[in-house]
Amino acid sequence: MLSSGQRHVQLPDLMKQSARVAAGLRSLGIGFGDSLAMLLYNDIAFFEASFGAGMLGAYPVALNWHLTPPEIEYILGDCDAKALLVHADLIDAVRSVVPQGMPVLAVSTPPEICDAYGIAESRCVVPDDLINWDDWTAKFEPWAGPVAVPPGAIIYTSGTTGRPKGVRRFPPSREQALAQETIFKQAFGLETDPDDIVTIVTGPMYHSAPNRYAMLATKLGCDVMLMPRFDAESLLALIERHRVTHLHMVPVMFNRLLRLAESVRQKYDLSSLRWVV
């Protein structure tokens, strides 16, 4: 099950919705080798779009929403994006740099993300002049055409040495994709029964490792929760409440945990954890 705030979706329903997305993207002319740009927080729509694009052999391109409009403009052109999917509150910052004629699909920014970032409720609603993601995808029957081997996401750097840089990998064969999945299952500790795995996505999915980790854990059928924004003590509370077994984290998150007072760290039962990478 994939969860964000009070919203939950089971894997079969997520994949059915992703197949609707695939059909919708195909109607926009997106197909094998094309790119779908995504300016999104960690949200269920991120998974719908990523899985849906992958079914067509298209590349989901995860954009860092901290980038400046000129950087986003560059990436949209560099990856030759055929459409842009964006959260409602992020659109105003990039309207001026979206290429003329590019379809823009907008997702309502969910309450848990608005609360986490202090976003005004009025900015979280899809503007009338944009295509509403939920309404749009509901119009399509699930994709019934050939299902491609997903080529994987294109992740761009932050551009600290010039312009942001992304890598478009060659589409893998089914054997290569299976080998990659096996390697990452080992690295992330996801080789056991998915029904016994509960995890939290702690980092933004516009970064490569959180993206790979979250997509794989969800595809395998693990119980996956999305953190709208990392907070050290909130993470400890979630581990205790949901008996979390697996985590992927980056060093700064460990630093923030260690900065908590020892009395706070000792307050939570973390005995359910089995694997932290």
Side-chain angles (χ1 to χ4, degrees):
M1 181 170 66
L2 178 63
S3 302
S4 181
Q6 300 303 311
R7 296 172 300 137
H8 312 281
V9 58
Q10 298 290 342
L11 182 59
D13 295 326
L14 174 63
M15 298 313 294
K16 184 176 182 179
Q17 176 65 7
S18 298
R20 292 184 186 277
V21 169
L25 295 178
R26 195 71 193 94
S27 77
L28 297 177
I30 296 175
F32 189 86
D34 292 329
S35 295
L36 168 68
M38 307 190 312
L39 188 63
L40 299 173
Y41 303 98
N42 289 5
D43 189 11
I44 292 172
F46 195 114
F47 293 79
E48 296 172 349
S50 296
F51 283 130
M55 291 176 183
L56 301 174
Y59 295 87
V61 183
L63 303 180
N64 182 336
W65 44 269
H66 293 290
L67 294 176
T68 64
E71 289 171 321
I72 290 174
E73 180 180 27
Y74 168 76
I75 293 174
L76 292 177
D78 186 63
C79 73
D80 194 22
K82 295 296 187 286
L84 171 65
L85 175 60
V86 58
H87 268 120
D89 71 287
L90 298 174
I91 185 59
D92 286 342
V94 297
R95 274 184 184 273
S96 63
V97 301
V98 175
Q100 186 173 6
M102 177 179 286
V104 179
L105 305 146
V107 184
S108 299
T109 309
E112 63 273 15
I113 292 175
C114 293
D115 291 344
Y117 290 98
I119 305 168
E121 187 176 344
S122 59
R123 295 178 54 212
C124 298
V125 180
V126 174
D128 292 337
D129 63 329
L130 297 182
I131 302 170
N132 186 299
W133 175 253
D134 291 331
D135 294 343
W136 179 75
T137 56
K139 297 177 182 178
F140 297 94
E141 292 297 321
W143 174 248
V147 175
V149 177
I154 298 176
I155 305 290
Y156 275 78
T157 66
S158 58
T160 51
T161 56
R163 291 191 183 276
K165 300 167 183 67
V167 176
R168 186 194 301 268
R169 298 178 179 88
F170 290 112
S173 66
R174 294 196 181 276
E175 292 75 18
Q176 289 171 328
L178 181 60
Q180 289 177 7
E181 182 174 301
T182 299
I183 290 169
F184 279 104
K185 283 167 67 174
Q186 293 171 347
F188 293 139
L190 301 176
E191 297 176 282
T192 57
D193 185 348
D195 289 340
D196 294 332
I197 296 176
V198 181
T199 189
I200 300 173
V201 180
T202 57
M205 290 179 60
Y206 55 69
H207 284 312
S208 56
N211 186 297
R212 172 71 79 161
Y213 179 82
M215 294 299 296
L216 178 57
T218 301
K219 176 189 173 185
L220 293 174
C222 305
D223 193 348
V224 178
M225 289 172 281
L226 304 178
M227 260 190 122
R229 187 176 190 176
F230 180 80
D231 175 79
E233 185 172 359
S234 295
L235 175 63
L236 299 182
L238 287 169
I239 293 170
E240 178 181 74
R241 184 181 316 135
H242 297 284
R243 306 302 295 161
V244 172
T245 62
H246 289 62
L247 285 175
H248 170 274
M249 296 170 59
V250 297
V252 69
M253 296 173 179
F254 290 97
N255 289 340
R256 292 178 183 175
L257 287 167
L258 289 169
R259 287 181 188 145
L260 293 173
E262 185 173 355
S263 59
V264 175
R265 298 201 306 267
Q266 296 296 329
K267 188 167 64 173
Y268 298 96
D269 177 8
L270 311 180
S271 60
S272 60
L273 280 175
R274 301 200 304 268
W275 190 280
V276 181
V277 60

